[in-house]
Amino acid sequence: MTLITVLNKDDIVEPANTEQRDNITEHIANLETSNIIEQVKDTVEQENYSAFVLGTDTIITLSNNLVTIGVSTKGAMPCYAQLNDYNDQQGDRVVLFYPSEIDINFKIDGKNKNIITNTLYFVPISSSSNSVTMRMKLDNDSYLDFQYILNDESYMLNLDITAVNMSNHFSTTQDKIHIDWIQNLRQQEKGFEFEQRYTTLTYKLTDRKKVKIFSVTKTTRSETINEPLDWIAFKNQFFSTIIIAAGNNFNSESKITSAPYTKGIGYMKKMMAKTSVPFDPTGVQATQLQFYFGPNDYKALSASNRFSVDNNKLHLNKVIDLGWPIVREFNRYIIMPLFNLLSKWNLNMGIVLLLLTVIVKVIVYPFTYKSYMSSAKMRALKPYIEEINAKYSKQEDAMKKQQESMALYSKYGVSPMGGCLPSLIQMPVWMALFFFVPNAIALRQQSFLWAKDLTGFDDIISWNTHIPLIGNHLSIFCLLFCASNIVNTIFSMKQQQQAPGQEQSMNMMKWMMYFMPVIFFFTFNNYSSGLNYYYFISALTSIMIMIYLRRTTDEKKLLSQLEANYQASRNNPAKKRQGGNLMARLEAMQKEQERLQQQKRNK
């Protein structure tokens, strides 16, 4: 059931501790809602429009099991949002914003006087278990109503703005309400840099059904959007405030601004949005808006479609950045269902990530095996390659050496590029978890081993002095990830057989592969421990798979098999050898290159 209470604005303050919050909760529970509403109504209802520039700033609170929302009589705007199922880093309930941290202003241009709601006081004229209507009268017969309805078992708050007998106060061309929305997004998580990276201003384009992320980390940035929008979201890493143009859309020429804060003041970014929605001064059609004050939980955001006032899909779940299209689809249809299935077993989230990693490795094992066997076949042909290298030892014979080597690979159906495609196929998997783990709210405040929160860095080794590129801590999971990556690189490099002419590029790749873990350390030391843990387990299982494949592959038998396949293909010319077409094309390209070089020398 939805409850409604009324309190003075001064009663909603950021509690310093749990005891203070308990006192506020008790104070709210003891308020006589209906009496206060009637008192305010009787005091102001008889006054004219000028009375609305003065008044008492009271806050009507609507609450269900999921969220508590405060609506201020000054401006008739949402000014407080508390999530009842999530705790902050101090163990109190998560508060998305307090009255001093948000301002949503509605402006309507009038003939003689503009209506600017954040300068006016509204009167709460009616209430029920799940709604409140606030009124601003221009005269005895003309008024503007703001009706808020909080949906049960949802984070969605509906707003209907209705004009009654107000046509004479506006010009015949007046058809929109201007909205100015400013909010300071609070720091909710442990790691400032990591959370700020995922604190973004996101919006959905109406015509193209596309969601865009307006990400800023270093400097203030503004942008004008010349397309209609369905919704605009001010998004923290795990929580969002979203305003939705229900039934219509936000008009063109919306302006958005994002300004990052520096570490230590308790805020991530200051975000601003200026836009407008259709308005009917005759009152025949109400202006409908919806708000989402809740977690960036994929299920909760998807469930909001049921509360859409125009029965259209809102696509709020796209506020969660799951990666580029192919990576996003892999996350949606493989990673997330697997994660949700494993989570239902009530296992520690560290174990869930471990099982998820193993399952993903099983899924991509065929590609891993194909990539390994391609390298193994090249190693099996190494004695023949060494003979070719000895035959063409001079520098001027490099082209002939490469041609004969390619002919050898073509003869046995081996492609030097055969291991690249399977490796590229695995890249979306690697990237999918990069996007999924930092956005998985189910990992928030979940501990594993020495990590107290899998969505924040583990800092069991820490100090007070800030060191450039490192900070004030060492993440053990990051160190394990980097160390396992180095070992995995060593194993991988040992499996590689250099094709003739590729020695220089392979040596450069080798050093790059060894240098990457160093870059990873300075980058991932501030990343979530869950992500570093996943990459550590992933590298560890890759090493184990590589050891297994190495021990179960006999390169002499493999060479004998290649010889047998070659003889079989000679007896059956119609049978195409694996990789033959590719090798033939490569050989033809090399011959053409040699011909062009010979022509150039002759000239």
Side-chain angles (χ1 to χ4, degrees), residues 460-500:
I460 193 172
I461 301 176
S462 61
W463 51 86
N464 294 327
T465 305
H466 179 84
I467 299 177
L469 300 179
I470 296 179
N472 62 350
H473 70 278
L474 285 178
S475 170
I476 296 179
F477 276 127
C478 180
L479 291 173
L480 291 174
F481 156 49
C482 295
S484 62
N485 209 338
I486 292 174
V487 176
N488 189 32
T489 299
I490 293 173
F491 273 89
S492 298
M493 289 294 102
K494 287 183 178 180
Q495 310 310 313
Q496 299 297 323
Q497 173 63 39
Q498 296 179 3

Side-chain angles (χ1 to χ4, degrees), residues 513-570:
M513 293 293 289
Y514 286 133
F515 186 65
M516 283 303 293
V518 179
I519 298 177
F520 285 155
F521 170 73
F522 291 112
T523 303
F524 282 75
N525 191 50
N526 285 321
Y527 270 54
S528 71
S529 55
L531 186 62
N532 280 313
Y533 168 66
Y534 160 74
Y535 282 141
F536 163 59
I537 296 298
S538 181
L540 195 61
T541 52
S542 295
I543 293 170
M544 296 172 65
I545 290 173
M546 196 70 68
I547 293 174
Y548 167 76
L549 291 174
R550 184 69 174 174
R551 290 184 176 181
T552 55
T553 302
D554 190 328
E555 293 179 4
K556 291 183 178 180
K557 290 184 178 180
L558 184 59
L559 180 59
S560 299
Q561 182 181 348
L562 291 174
E563 293 281 6
N565 292 341
Y566 170 65
Q567 293 299 326
S569 66
R570 290 186 62 185

Side-chain angles (χ1 to χ4, degrees), residues 308-563:
S308 173
V309 298
D310 54 4
N311 297 319
N312 289 328
K313 287 187 177 181
L314 300 174
H315 300 287
L316 296 184
N317 50 32
K318 289 188 177 181
V319 77
I320 302 175
D321 184 13
L322 293 177
W324 308 301
I326 186 172
V327 174
R328 180 181 179 85
E329 297 310 305
F330 189 86
N331 268 323
R332 283 186 61 190
Y333 296 109
I334 296 179
I335 297 300
M336 292 179 65
L338 281 174
F339 180 83
N340 293 334
L341 176 63
L342 295 172
S343 299
K344 292 179 181 179
W345 297 352
N346 293 322
L347 300 172
N348 181 279
M349 282 299 169
I351 304 300
V352 169
L353 285 177
L354 172 62
L355 295 176
L356 180 65
T357 307
V358 173
I359 293 173
V360 168
K361 284 294 183 181
V362 171
I363 293 174
V364 301
Y365 177 77
F367 303 104
T368 304
Y369 178 78
K370 186 175 181 64
S371 178
Y372 176 85
M373 290 306 297
S374 178
S375 298
K377 288 176 182 179
M378 292 187 66
R379 290 196 306 272
L381 293 175
K382 185 177 180 181
Y384 298 151
I385 293 295
E386 289 178 346
E387 291 178 4
I388 294 174
N389 291 338
K391 181 179 178 181
Y392 301 102
S393 58
K394 297 180 179 179
Q395 183 66 31
E396 56 267 24
D397 295 331
M399 183 64 69
K400 294 181 179 179
K401 178 172 66 174
Q402 190 169 10
Q403 286 181 349
E404 191 162 334
S405 299
M406 290 300 179
L408 175 70
Y409 290 139
S410 179
K411 173 182 175 181
Y412 289 102
V414 176
S415 172
M417 306 297 292
C420 296
L421 182 59
S423 299
L424 290 175
I425 292 175
Q426 297 180 61
M427 281 300 296
V429 180
W430 198 88
M431 292 303 301
L433 273 297
F434 177 83
F435 285 98
F436 172 75
V437 173
N439 288 300
I441 196 170
L443 298 176
R444 185 176 181 269
Q445 297 184 347
Q446 297 294 312
S447 62
F448 179 66
L449 297 178
W450 53 82
K452 296 180 180 179
D453 185 347
L454 286 171
T455 61
F457 54 78
D458 60 286
D459 57 352
I460 193 172
I461 301 176
S462 61
W463 51 86
N464 294 327
T465 305
H466 179 84
I467 299 177
L469 300 179
I470 296 179
N472 62 350
H473 70 278
L474 285 178
S475 170
I476 296 179
F477 276 127
C478 180
L479 291 173
L480 291 174
F481 156 49
C482 295
S484 62
N485 209 338
I486 292 174
V487 176
N488 189 32
T489 299
I490 293 173
F491 273 89
S492 298
M493 289 294 102
K494 287 183 178 180
Q495 310 310 313
Q496 299 297 323
Q497 173 63 39
Q498 296 179 3
Q502 296 181 346
E503 291 82 359
Q504 185 175 357
S505 61
M506 286 296 293
N507 287 333
M508 184 178 299
M509 181 186 297
K510 178 180 178 181
W511 286 111
M512 281 296 297
M513 293 293 289
Y514 286 133
F515 186 65
M516 283 303 293
V518 179
I519 298 177
F520 285 155
F521 170 73
F522 291 112
T523 303
F524 282 75
N525 191 50
N526 285 321
Y527 270 54
S528 71
S529 55
L531 186 62
N532 280 313
Y533 168 66
Y534 160 74
Y535 282 141
F536 163 59
I537 296 298
S538 181
L540 195 61
T541 52
S542 295
I543 293 170
M544 296 172 65
I545 290 173
M546 196 70 68
I547 293 174
Y548 167 76
L549 291 174
R550 184 69 174 174
R551 290 184 176 181
T552 55
T553 302
D554 190 328
E555 293 179 4
K556 291 183 178 180
K557 290 184 178 180
L558 184 59
L559 180 59
S560 299
Q561 182 181 348
L562 291 174
E563 293 281 6

Side-chain angles (χ1 to χ4, degrees), residues 2 31 57 71 145 151 161 171 190 215 263 394 504 582:
T2 307
L31 289 171
D57 193 355
V71 182
D145 278 354
N151 294 285
I161 304 175
S171 68
K190 178 180 179 180
S215 182
K263 186 177 181 179
K394 297 180 179 179
Q504 185 175 357
L582 174 62

